[in-house]
Amino acid sequence: MANGATAAMGMVLAFVAVAALCCAPGAAELPRLEHHRANNDGGSLKLLVVGDWGRKGTHNQSRVAEQMGRVGENLGIDFVISTGDNFYKNGLKGVHDHAFEESFTDIYTAKSLQKPWYLVLGNHDYRGNALAQLSPVLRKIDDRFICMRSFIVNTELADFFFVDTTPFQLEYWTHRGKHHYDWRGVAPRGKYIANLLKDLDEAMKKSTARWKIVVGHHTMRSVSEHGDTEELLKLLLPVLKDNSVDFYINGHDHCLEHISSRDSPLQYFTSGGGSKAWRGILRPNKDKLRFFYDGQGFMSLQLNQDQAQFIFYDVFGNTLYQWSSSKTRHPKPSTYLDEE
């Protein structure tokens, strides 16, 4: 952390060093981090989710960060999740790029946010030096920053599966336009995706966590600018459904939204309002749209053995929407009672 390490952070970072050895594309298992909660509040877990934020404080990034600090303090959060596009417009130039401090360390300064940040890469991150964000050098600058391509964070109560979704998008490979994508450690695409899906499926089948949650950058279902991501629906979604994943959380579209699957208990949450927003686009799809906000903000998630509660907040910290899901204690674990 920027203000000093804690014992919990130390345990996480110690495991990160070991997990980094497993990050090669051909690795047999996804890196697994054990997040030990400093305050075990009756078995509950509390966290914030923000995405598409890194603009050196502009486009209301600083305002969103301020409200995250306040909500984080009220909840007593355990960690923060970033759904990617951590640094605009073209990622980081290298490990010594001052944009790291200007968009991260100097922005998220609240005491409550001095907790581990678990991050995935977005498409804008791949347009720069993608390996820089994966480098342990950044953790020496700010040890909150824990970014890998794909990995698992285990909290005992829940397993969070972080998935590198950018390589799935075929257009980034075939219709790049003026953009350059840093595919070092990824190419060839087909082999990388096949290995990732295999490793993910195996890890999910081994999971004994009460909740299974997947985090990626790209939308799977969305009614905003980018809409549904067909490659994820074809390749990734079957793995999620087959393993009874509860929630898919993403960014990419610069909005806040909640969509319920029409053919499974799976819920889709977009938290991509960390800075620039207000696209002015709404394109309904076949799934059930429960909530949509075309503006800046973030999301909180509170979990215990029986219930998950999601809350969306705007740039002023106002509660825009909340939804909870109650899971029965009897197999199969796909029986839910939804509450809006």
Side-chain angles (χ1 to χ4, degrees), residues 8-34:
M9 177 70 83
M11 285 187 284
V12 169
L13 292 178
F15 197 87
V16 167
V18 176
L21 299 175
C22 305
C23 289
E29 294 184 354
L30 295 179
R32 182 180 179 89
L33 311 183
E34 305 293 337

mmCIF file of all heavy atoms in Angstrom, residues 8-34:
data_model
loop_
_atom_site.group_PDB
_atom_site.id
_atom_site.type_symbol
_atom_site.label_atom_id
_atom_site.label_comp_id
_atom_site.label_asym_id
_atom_site.label_seq_id
_atom_site.Cartn_x
_atom_site.Cartn_y
_atom_site.Cartn_z
ATOM 1 N N ALA A 8 -1.977 -8.688 6.071
ATOM 2 C CA ALA A 8 -2.790 -9.315 5.039
ATOM 3 C C ALA A 8 -2.209 -9.061 3.669
ATOM 4 O O ALA A 8 -2.138 -9.970 2.826
ATOM 5 C CB ALA A 8 -4.227 -8.787 5.112
ATOM 6 N N MET A 9 -1.797 -7.828 3.400
ATOM 7 C CA MET A 9 -1.197 -7.504 2.111
ATOM 8 C C MET A 9 0.089 -8.300 1.925
ATOM 9 O O MET A 9 0.378 -8.783 0.836
ATOM 10 C CB MET A 9 -0.906 -6.005 2.024
ATOM 11 C CG MET A 9 -0.211 -5.594 0.728
ATOM 12 S SD MET A 9 -1.278 -5.715 -0.704
ATOM 13 C CE MET A 9 -2.127 -4.152 -0.580
ATOM 14 N N GLY A 10 0.855 -8.434 2.986
ATOM 15 C CA GLY A 10 2.107 -9.163 2.884
ATOM 16 C C GLY A 10 1.898 -10.598 2.460
ATOM 17 O O GLY A 10 2.648 -11.137 1.650
ATOM 18 N N MET A 11 0.864 -11.246 3.020
ATOM 19 C CA MET A 11 0.583 -12.628 2.648
ATOM 20 C C MET A 11 0.163 -12.725 1.196
ATOM 21 O O MET A 11 0.532 -13.654 0.479
ATOM 22 C CB MET A 11 -0.509 -13.201 3.562
ATOM 23 C CG MET A 11 0.000 -13.536 4.955
ATOM 24 S SD MET A 11 -1.230 -14.399 5.945
ATOM 25 C CE MET A 11 -2.312 -13.050 6.384
ATOM 26 N N VAL A 12 -0.652 -11.756 0.734
ATOM 27 C CA VAL A 12 -1.084 -11.765 -0.659
ATOM 28 C C VAL A 12 0.102 -11.602 -1.582
ATOM 29 O O VAL A 12 0.279 -12.335 -2.545
ATOM 30 C CB VAL A 12 -2.120 -10.646 -0.915
ATOM 31 C CG1 VAL A 12 -2.367 -10.493 -2.411
ATOM 32 C CG2 VAL A 12 -3.417 -10.942 -0.197
ATOM 33 N N LEU A 13 0.970 -10.629 -1.294
ATOM 34 C CA LEU A 13 2.101 -10.342 -2.167
ATOM 35 C C LEU A 13 3.122 -11.470 -2.171
ATOM 36 O O LEU A 13 3.755 -11.737 -3.180
ATOM 37 C CB LEU A 13 2.768 -9.029 -1.751
ATOM 38 C CG LEU A 13 1.916 -7.774 -1.986
ATOM 39 C CD1 LEU A 13 2.660 -6.546 -1.496
ATOM 40 C CD2 LEU A 13 1.559 -7.625 -3.446
ATOM 41 N N ALA A 14 3.281 -12.133 -1.048
ATOM 42 C CA ALA A 14 4.199 -13.264 -1.008
ATOM 43 C C ALA A 14 3.735 -14.347 -1.958
ATOM 44 O O ALA A 14 4.528 -14.985 -2.649
ATOM 45 C CB ALA A 14 4.294 -13.809 0.415
ATOM 46 N N PHE A 15 2.423 -14.530 -2.016
ATOM 47 C CA PHE A 15 1.910 -15.545 -2.922
ATOM 48 C C PHE A 15 1.985 -15.083 -4.360
ATOM 49 O O PHE A 15 2.145 -15.900 -5.261
ATOM 50 C CB PHE A 15 0.466 -15.907 -2.568
ATOM 51 C CG PHE A 15 0.029 -17.204 -3.197
ATOM 52 C CD1 PHE A 15 0.266 -18.405 -2.549
ATOM 53 C CD2 PHE A 15 -0.585 -17.220 -4.427
ATOM 54 C CE1 PHE A 15 -0.117 -19.602 -3.125
ATOM 55 C CE2 PHE A 15 -0.961 -18.415 -5.013
ATOM 56 C CZ PHE A 15 -0.734 -19.603 -4.357
ATOM 57 N N VAL A 16 1.862 -13.785 -4.588
ATOM 58 C CA VAL A 16 1.970 -13.256 -5.944
ATOM 59 C C VAL A 16 3.312 -13.622 -6.549
ATOM 60 O O VAL A 16 3.417 -13.986 -7.720
ATOM 61 C CB VAL A 16 1.782 -11.728 -5.958
ATOM 62 C CG1 VAL A 16 2.217 -11.142 -7.294
ATOM 63 C CG2 VAL A 16 0.328 -11.376 -5.693
ATOM 64 N N ALA A 17 4.372 -13.535 -5.755
ATOM 65 C CA ALA A 17 5.711 -13.853 -6.260
ATOM 66 C C ALA A 17 5.797 -15.291 -6.738
ATOM 67 O O ALA A 17 6.413 -15.600 -7.750
ATOM 68 C CB ALA A 17 6.749 -13.601 -5.165
ATOM 69 N N VAL A 18 5.151 -16.189 -5.989
ATOM 70 C CA VAL A 18 5.141 -17.587 -6.391
ATOM 71 C C VAL A 18 4.241 -17.793 -7.602
ATOM 72 O O VAL A 18 4.576 -18.499 -8.553
ATOM 73 C CB VAL A 18 4.658 -18.478 -5.218
ATOM 74 C CG1 VAL A 18 4.549 -19.927 -5.668
ATOM 75 C CG2 VAL A 18 5.609 -18.341 -4.042
ATOM 76 N N ALA A 19 3.077 -17.132 -7.591
ATOM 77 C CA ALA A 19 2.115 -17.298 -8.675
ATOM 78 C C ALA A 19 2.661 -16.811 -9.991
ATOM 79 O O ALA A 19 2.311 -17.321 -11.056
ATOM 80 C CB ALA A 19 0.815 -16.552 -8.353
ATOM 81 N N ALA A 20 3.535 -15.823 -9.949
ATOM 82 C CA ALA A 20 4.094 -15.275 -11.187
ATOM 83 C C ALA A 20 4.843 -16.329 -11.977
ATOM 84 O O ALA A 20 4.964 -16.244 -13.203
ATOM 85 C CB ALA A 20 5.024 -14.113 -10.869
ATOM 86 N N LEU A 21 5.328 -17.352 -11.303
ATOM 87 C CA LEU A 21 6.050 -18.417 -11.990
ATOM 88 C C LEU A 21 5.131 -19.266 -12.855
ATOM 89 O O LEU A 21 5.586 -20.003 -13.719
ATOM 90 C CB LEU A 21 6.747 -19.314 -10.949
ATOM 91 C CG LEU A 21 7.791 -18.626 -10.067
ATOM 92 C CD1 LEU A 21 8.296 -19.609 -9.030
ATOM 93 C CD2 LEU A 21 8.941 -18.074 -10.896
ATOM 94 N N CYS A 22 3.820 -19.153 -12.601
ATOM 95 C CA CYS A 22 2.856 -19.985 -13.315
ATOM 96 C C CYS A 22 2.135 -19.218 -14.419
ATOM 97 O O CYS A 22 1.133 -19.701 -14.937
ATOM 98 C CB CYS A 22 1.804 -20.521 -12.333
ATOM 99 S SG CYS A 22 2.495 -21.421 -10.932
ATOM 100 N N CYS A 23 2.605 -18.029 -14.777
ATOM 101 C CA CYS A 23 1.857 -17.155 -15.662
ATOM 102 C C CYS A 23 2.125 -17.377 -17.134
ATOM 103 O O CYS A 23 1.557 -16.693 -17.976
ATOM 104 C CB CYS A 23 2.140 -15.680 -15.319
ATOM 105 S SG CYS A 23 1.411 -15.166 -13.753
ATOM 106 N N ALA A 24 2.996 -18.279 -17.499
ATOM 107 C CA ALA A 24 3.285 -18.504 -18.902
ATOM 108 C C ALA A 24 2.067 -19.082 -19.601
ATOM 109 O O ALA A 24 1.251 -19.760 -18.988
ATOM 110 C CB ALA A 24 4.471 -19.460 -19.039
ATOM 111 N N PRO A 25 1.904 -18.814 -20.935
ATOM 112 C CA PRO A 25 0.721 -19.277 -21.648
ATOM 113 C C PRO A 25 0.489 -20.777 -21.548
ATOM 114 O O PRO A 25 -0.623 -21.229 -21.595
ATOM 115 C CB PRO A 25 0.996 -18.850 -23.093
ATOM 116 C CG PRO A 25 1.933 -17.691 -22.966
ATOM 117 C CD PRO A 25 2.778 -17.995 -21.766
ATOM 118 N N GLY A 26 1.534 -21.563 -21.396
ATOM 119 C CA GLY A 26 1.365 -23.006 -21.358
ATOM 120 C C GLY A 26 1.215 -23.568 -19.955
ATOM 121 O O GLY A 26 1.300 -24.762 -19.764
ATOM 122 N N ALA A 27 1.030 -22.707 -18.966
ATOM 123 C CA ALA A 27 0.945 -23.163 -17.584
ATOM 124 C C ALA A 27 -0.222 -24.121 -17.407
ATOM 125 O O ALA A 27 -1.265 -23.987 -18.030
ATOM 126 C CB ALA A 27 0.792 -21.971 -16.643
ATOM 127 N N ALA A 28 -0.038 -25.136 -16.548
ATOM 128 C CA ALA A 28 -1.062 -26.150 -16.355
ATOM 129 C C ALA A 28 -2.182 -25.662 -15.448
ATOM 130 O O ALA A 28 -3.287 -26.180 -15.504
ATOM 131 C CB ALA A 28 -0.436 -27.410 -15.779
ATOM 132 N N GLU A 29 -1.929 -24.683 -14.624
ATOM 133 C CA GLU A 29 -2.937 -24.180 -13.710
ATOM 134 C C GLU A 29 -2.922 -22.662 -13.695
ATOM 135 O O GLU A 29 -1.889 -22.033 -13.922
ATOM 136 C CB GLU A 29 -2.681 -24.696 -12.288
ATOM 137 C CG GLU A 29 -2.835 -26.196 -12.129
ATOM 138 C CD GLU A 29 -2.660 -26.623 -10.681
ATOM 139 O OE1 GLU A 29 -2.315 -25.761 -9.855
ATOM 140 O OE2 GLU A 29 -2.865 -27.810 -10.391
ATOM 141 N N LEU A 30 -4.084 -22.078 -13.409
ATOM 142 C CA LEU A 30 -4.141 -20.631 -13.251
ATOM 143 C C LEU A 30 -3.495 -20.246 -11.926
ATOM 144 O O LEU A 30 -3.663 -20.949 -10.918
ATOM 145 C CB LEU A 30 -5.595 -20.154 -13.258
ATOM 146 C CG LEU A 30 -6.381 -20.345 -14.553
ATOM 147 C CD1 LEU A 30 -7.810 -19.848 -14.362
ATOM 148 C CD2 LEU A 30 -5.718 -19.621 -15.707
ATOM 149 N N PRO A 31 -2.753 -19.136 -11.890
ATOM 150 C CA PRO A 31 -2.216 -18.650 -10.617
ATOM 151 C C PRO A 31 -3.346 -18.447 -9.605
ATOM 152 O O PRO A 31 -4.414 -17.948 -9.963
ATOM 153 C CB PRO A 31 -1.561 -17.316 -10.995
ATOM 154 C CG PRO A 31 -1.270 -17.442 -12.447
ATOM 155 C CD PRO A 31 -2.369 -18.284 -13.027
ATOM 156 N N ARG A 32 -3.102 -18.825 -8.378
ATOM 157 C CA ARG A 32 -4.139 -18.765 -7.342
ATOM 158 C C ARG A 32 -3.623 -17.962 -6.152
ATOM 159 O O ARG A 32 -2.593 -18.311 -5.562
ATOM 160 C CB ARG A 32 -4.519 -20.181 -6.912
ATOM 161 C CG ARG A 32 -5.633 -20.256 -5.865
ATOM 162 C CD ARG A 32 -5.923 -21.707 -5.517
ATOM 163 N NE ARG A 32 -6.949 -21.847 -4.507
ATOM 164 C CZ ARG A 32 -8.249 -21.937 -4.755
ATOM 165 N NH1 ARG A 32 -8.671 -21.914 -6.004
ATOM 166 N NH2 ARG A 32 -9.123 -22.066 -3.776
ATOM 167 N N LEU A 33 -4.319 -16.920 -5.812
ATOM 168 C CA LEU A 33 -3.964 -16.080 -4.673
ATOM 169 C C LEU A 33 -4.939 -16.342 -3.529
ATOM 170 O O LEU A 33 -6.150 -16.420 -3.735
ATOM 171 C CB LEU A 33 -4.005 -14.595 -5.048
ATOM 172 C CG LEU A 33 -3.283 -14.177 -6.330
ATOM 173 C CD1 LEU A 33 -3.361 -12.673 -6.498
ATOM 174 C CD2 LEU A 33 -1.836 -14.636 -6.298
ATOM 175 N N GLU A 34 -4.411 -16.468 -2.352
ATOM 176 C CA GLU A 34 -5.241 -16.662 -1.166
ATOM 177 C C GLU A 34 -5.392 -15.315 -0.465
ATOM 178 O O GLU A 34 -4.412 -14.751 0.034
ATOM 179 C CB GLU A 34 -4.600 -17.679 -0.217
ATOM 180 C CG GLU A 34 -4.278 -19.020 -0.860
ATOM 181 C CD GLU A 34 -5.517 -19.794 -1.268
ATOM 182 O OE1 GLU A 34 -6.604 -19.527 -0.686
ATOM 183 O OE2 GLU A 34 -5.415 -20.648 -2.171
#
